[in-house]
Amino acid sequence: PSPYMAADGLLPSGGAEVGGPPESADGRAGVNVSTGVDYDPWLLGNIVCVPDPEYLTVDYPTRRIEVQYLGGGGGLLYGYSLRFTWDAGVASTSDGLVDEGPLLQALGNTFFFPIDISGNEIQVDGALLGDINGTPGPGTLFTIDFTGVAVGTSDIDITLLEVRDRNNQALSGFTADDGLLIVDVSAPLVVDVEIENLTLLHTNEYIKNFDAARVTATVTDDDPAFGIGNISANLEALGGGATDAPDSWNVMTGEAVWTLTITSVTTTPLNGVVTVTVNASDANGNATSGFDTIIADNEPPSAVLDFDAAPGHKKCDLSWTVGTDNYVLAGTVVQRNDNLGEYPVYPLFVGAWPVVDAFYPGDHLSGANAYTGGLASATDNVIPRNIYYYQAFCYDEARNYGAAAVTARDLATNYWLGDVAQQLGFWGSDPGHDYNGLVNDADIGKLGGTYYVVSPVWPDNQCDVGPTVYPDDHRLGLPYPDDEVEFEDLMIFAMNHGVVGPRVVPYLPGLAASNALGLELAELGRNETGGFEVALRLTGNADEVKGLSAAIAYDGAELEYVRARLSEHMSMPVGNMFFWADGADGSVQVDLAVLGTGVTMGGSGDVAVLTFRALRDEYALDLESARLRGAANEELAVELSGLESRPEMPAAFRLVQNAPNPFNPKTSIAYDVPREAEVRIRVYDVTGRLVRTLVDGVVEPGRHRIAWEGLSDDGAPVGSGVYFCTMETAEYQQSHKMLLLK
């Protein structure tokens, strides 16, 4: 019989036939028997664990093992005693989780007693009670509930201590076969799933067809046998497969990477949320997953509307209305084409002035870039003189670009029609000189010198600017040279005379215009008489300020206002200025503006200089309020910053010359004291007579200032004349001449 076969020749329930019948020494097979036999020594065991092996997993962390007697022993089983051990680091159980099975219970009353021997060993004793023959088996002796603790395997080692019949005689033919637990109660960990757009480096939120993508995830498991073959990703939403293996997996960090399969994306859905799921499953069937999403956007924005290009001096001013997008409209790109070498006659367009599609950039990569960003206006600074063709395209976060619509294009010159005289009155192409950006009397003079000249040649042909088109006959239109300087040209010159002009030349281009627009006070320097200059400084000006009004507050006991003037750079003869300043009662008001339509201040720097006289060595100037206006008189937000001055500790005793000098009737006298000392400061007349004692006593270190109002010690006014101010300490003596004029 099979070693698992009972005495009746039948396989027990739950058993399995292992091997064949025994063979004789000469190789002849044995014969089946129908009575109990002694199976030693070839018996594998008839006390077994079922199932064997048993798996403890995430879904089934606790499983029940049956310890069964398969029958075939040397007699009828009446009582038994056995012990079993296991690896407590892999699985856990206790005597309270060991329950008697039905094998003996089915015959009558029983005694059943499991007991913990140690942390991983339990002894189980069981017996029938009374005059009962016993059982031939098969059946379940008892059950054990095991719970998984950690990844690993554990033998269930069964040791038979005693097997007795009803007469308390030991039975032979009982052999234990160990069981096996395979434990893995932790699923793989899938975290940090991320879809990266390798084509669009600015975003991992959007993707479109034909972009390249990479999927990464951190996948780990505590099973040493876990490997790359246990990981897959569903990349169908990006055009890959449902169970794509990673291109690489780092066993140390757990990073799994998919790149090769998604070098060119095909999104599903075409527009909407795309999901990628990363799956991991270990050898024991524990599975987990993680996912990330990205938005598929294959629909371009609508076209730019109302695009306008207007002429300027060495620039074109551009404005437009942005389109719309189903997701996020990121910005607008403006591309430019030109027709170099045609100024000022434009031979390609004489006669018909065709404006055809081919003149404009066909897509967002054609031509030269004039602007890229999120605004709805821009200035394209371009040279040389020419007509420039602009085409604008809206783009979204996925970098889909709108169509090259007719509503998104325009053309303009980058110079003022009529601006033909160069700087300092030079004419033509004199090296080192450039057009001044004005249409003024010098330009009218050049027009007069070529008036009614037919087929003018360089440089006279620059005056042939009329008539104009787009719009027709307009001063800001496009020149339509008719090969004659006459009335049409005069009208364009006349309309632009004194109207068009550049912004004020930037006066301190070294100051960046990227800072916030602001006004601040900055000390420029001092003189020995106590006077100093303070700059009213404009910062962060992106050529937008046309005028400003500022109120500067001060303490009359600390400072005396002297005068205000325009800065050197604001006095440059490039534009007319209005400037007004007045100070009284602790406040100075400064108002200024550049004159002319559309004219603004260029750059950042000192716009005005204020002169004060310090009455004390510690003083403060505050920008109490300020208003800034733009070219259209719009209010501009401005940040204000004042000025505070504190003296340094003097290194030596010093008497400073009084200021003002001459004076009437009051003058200020400063003096330095490097350390605490007895100080006397007195005023004498030319005869040496003491007139007034100003200081007499202990003075603390620092710069000090006192005033003499032209009075004697008894309070009487003194007359005009020369007086001497002396300073005396234990180690210092100095005298200065003062002149009082009434």
Side-chain angles (χ1 to χ4, degrees):
S2 165
Y4 283 169
M5 189 169 290
D8 59 4
L10 300 176
L11 280 173
S13 174
E17 186 170 353
V18 180
E23 296 180 349
S24 64
D26 60 4
R28 292 176 296 145
V31 296
N32 288 338
V33 296
S34 58
T35 58
V37 296
D38 187 350
Y39 286 89
D40 273 338
W42 53 269
L43 183 67
L44 294 178
N46 55 0
I47 303 295
V48 298
C49 295
V50 178
D52 183 20
E54 178 60 288
Y55 295 87
L56 304 182
T57 64
V58 173
D59 292 334
Y60 300 100
T62 299
R63 299 301 290 257
R64 177 163 293 178
I65 299 294
E66 294 186 5
V67 178
Q68 296 181 353
Y69 168 49
L70 302 181
L76 299 177
L77 176 64
Y78 186 90
Y80 63 90
S81 178
L82 61 79
R83 290 183 182 179
F84 66 88
T85 62
W86 72 98
D87 187 345
V90 174
S92 68
T93 190
S94 66
D95 55 13
L97 299 174
V98 179
D99 295 320
E100 186 177 8
L103 179 62
L104 297 183
Q105 282 184 326
L107 301 179
N109 293 328
T110 62
F111 175 86
F112 182 76
F113 189 76
I115 183 171
D116 286 326
I117 302 302
S118 64
N120 69 328
E121 185 176 17
I122 295 176
Q123 181 169 319
V124 182
D125 293 343
L128 289 164
L129 299 178
D131 187 15
I132 302 173
N133 287 332
T135 178
T140 300
L141 295 172
F142 56 88
T143 63
I144 316 165
D145 290 343
F146 282 101
T147 299
V149 174
V151 173
T153 60
S154 171
D155 290 329
I156 306 173
D157 294 322
I158 300 176
T159 302
L160 290 174
L161 303 177
E162 299 287 348
V163 181
R164 305 285 178 88
D165 63 11
R166 62 175 295 187
N167 297 317
N168 200 28
Q169 296 300 304
L171 295 175
S172 63
F174 287 83
T175 304
D177 187 13
D178 297 338
L180 179 64
L181 295 175
I182 298 176
V183 181
D184 187 353
V185 291
S186 60
L189 184 66
V190 178
V191 297
D192 300 330
V193 181
E194 183 179 7
I195 306 171
E196 300 176 69
N197 191 323
L198 299 182
T199 300
L200 306 178
L201 301 183
H202 69 280
T203 181
N204 287 325
E205 299 298 322
Y206 292 88
I207 199 165
K208 66 181 181 300
N209 286 347
F210 310 115
D211 287 348
R214 174 170 57 203
V215 173
T216 57
T218 300
V219 185
T220 57
D221 190 66
D222 50 10
D223 185 349
F226 186 86
I228 192 172
N230 298 98
I231 309 169
S232 67
N234 186 334
L235 302 177
E236 291 179 307
L238 296 178
T243 57
D244 287 341
D247 301 318
S248 64
W249 180 66
N250 188 314
V251 68
M252 301 299 295
T253 65
E255 183 184 47
V257 179
W258 292 261
T259 303
L260 300 178
T261 52
I262 42 180
T263 55
S264 182
V265 164
T266 302
T267 61
T268 303
L270 187 64
N271 296 286
V273 177
V274 166
T275 302
V276 166
T277 302
V278 174
N279 302 297
S281 178
D282 61 26
N284 296 313
N286 298 310
T288 190
S289 63
F291 71 93
D292 190 26
T293 61
I294 194 168
I295 298 175
D297 182 6
N298 287 284
E299 186 173 349
S302 63
V304 170
L305 301 175
D306 306 321
F307 188 88
D308 180 72
H313 179 55
K314 297 182 181 180
K315 66 183 180 70
C316 294
D317 290 320
L318 315 174
S319 63
W320 60 89
T321 300
V322 298
T324 58
D325 190 72
N326 286 341
Y327 295 104
V328 178
L329 186 68
T332 305
V333 58
V334 181
Q335 297 296 108
R336 144 177 35 92
N337 280 338
D338 53 38
N339 294 292
L340 294 177
E342 297 186 357
Y343 173 81
V345 294
Y346 306 107
L348 290 179
F349 307 110
V350 171
W353 261 100
V355 180
V356 296
D357 291 348
F359 295 160
Y360 295 95
D363 57 43
H364 67 282
L365 298 176
S366 301
N369 180 254
Y371 172 78
T372 298
L375 302 179
S377 62
T379 296
D380 184 28
N381 297 302
V382 283
I383 52 176
R385 289 191 166 195
N386 206 350
I387 296 174
Y388 292 88
Y389 298 79
Y390 294 93
Q391 183 76 56
F393 308 86
C394 282
Y395 60 89
D396 58 25
E397 281 295 303
R399 292 307 184 262
N400 299 296
Y401 290 83
V406 295
T407 60
R409 63 179 57 156
D410 199 10
L411 66 166
T413 63
N414 65 329
Y415 61 94
W416 302 116
L417 299 184
D419 176 20
V420 295
Q422 293 175 290
Q423 291 180 4
L424 305 178
F426 287 90
W427 172 241
S429 57
D430 188 27
H433 296 91
D434 196 5
Y435 301 95
N436 60 13
L438 302 170
V439 179
N440 54 19
D441 291 347
D443 301 288
I444 297 298
K446 300 304 179 185
L447 175 67
T450 60
Y451 203 63
Y452 270 102
V453 173
V454 178
S455 298
V457 296
W458 181 265
D460 295 348
N461 56 2
Q462 295 180 91
C463 294
D464 184 9
V465 296
T468 58
V469 293
Y470 304 114
D472 292 349
D473 302 321
H474 196 278
R475 67 182 185 86
L476 300 181
L478 298 172
Y480 187 8
D482 57 2
D483 206 28
E484 182 178 5
V485 180
E486 35 74 50
F487 182 71
E488 295 292 349
D489 307 293
L490 169 61
M491 291 305 300
I492 302 302
F493 273 72
M495 288 187 291
N496 279 341
H497 182 265
V499 176
V500 300
R503 291 168 171 157
V504 173
V505 176
Y507 30 87
L508 278 182
L511 291 180
S514 59
N515 302 326
L517 184 62
L519 278 177
E520 63 182 36
L521 298 172
E523 186 171 320
L524 298 178
R526 302 193 184 195
N527 56 42
E528 285 293 325
T529 64
F532 67 95
E533 291 185 330
V534 173
L536 179 60
R537 183 167 294 167
L538 179 64
T539 63
N541 176 35
D543 298 348
E544 57 191 315
V545 178
K546 184 175 182 64
L548 64 86
S549 175
I552 299 106
Y554 63 93
D555 187 340
E558 298 175 347
L559 297 171
E560 178 184 348
Y561 170 68
V562 179
R563 63 181 178 272
R565 60 179 174 83
L566 278 174
S567 70
E568 176 183 354
H569 297 288
M570 289 296 289
S571 300
M572 293 174 62
V574 293
N576 294 323
M577 295 288 304
F578 176 88
F579 175 74
W580 180 87
D582 191 23
D585 300 327
S587 180
V588 179
Q589 183 69 37
V590 176
D591 291 352
L592 62 91
V594 291
L595 305 181
T597 302
V599 182
T600 58
M601 304 177 198
S604 299
D606 300 341
V607 295
V609 177
L610 288 70
T611 302
F612 291 89
R613 183 174 294 112
L615 305 179
R616 295 181 182 174
D617 291 301
E618 293 188 15
Y619 56 83
L621 283 168
D622 294 318
L623 270 167
E624 191 173 43
S625 63
R627 291 177 295 168
L628 270 64
R629 299 290 177 84
N633 201 31
E634 72 275 17
E635 194 80 26
L636 303 175
V638 59
E639 295 181 1
L640 307 179
S641 180
L643 169 68
E644 185 175 335
S645 178
R646 298 184 180 276
E648 297 180 357
M649 190 62 64
F653 290 103
R654 181 186 177 207
L655 176 66
V656 180
Q657 180 68 54
N658 66 300
N661 190 37
F663 64 97
N664 178 27
K666 179 179 177 180
T667 190
S668 177
I669 302 167
Y671 63 99
D672 294 340
V673 178
R675 54 189 172 274
E676 186 177 278
E678 289 274 355
V679 178
R680 289 184 299 276
I681 298 179
R682 297 171 177 173
V683 177
Y684 297 89
D685 63 16
V686 292
T687 66
R689 180 177 64 88
L690 176 64
V691 175
R692 181 72 181 267
T693 299
L694 299 175
V695 178
D696 190 2
V698 176
V699 177
E700 295 180 351
R703 165 65 68 91
H704 303 274
R705 191 177 296 276
I706 54 175
W708 183 42
E709 298 85 357
L711 302 177
S712 64
D713 277 335
D714 57 10
V718 300
S720 299
V722 175
Y723 295 86
F724 295 92
C725 178
T726 64
M727 175 179 172
E728 298 179 60
T729 71
E731 53 189 287
Y732 176 83
Q733 184 173 358
Q734 181 65 46
S735 178
H736 288 309
K737 182 187 294 185
M738 303 185 296
L739 179 59
L740 172 61
L741 295 178
K742 292 187 176 181

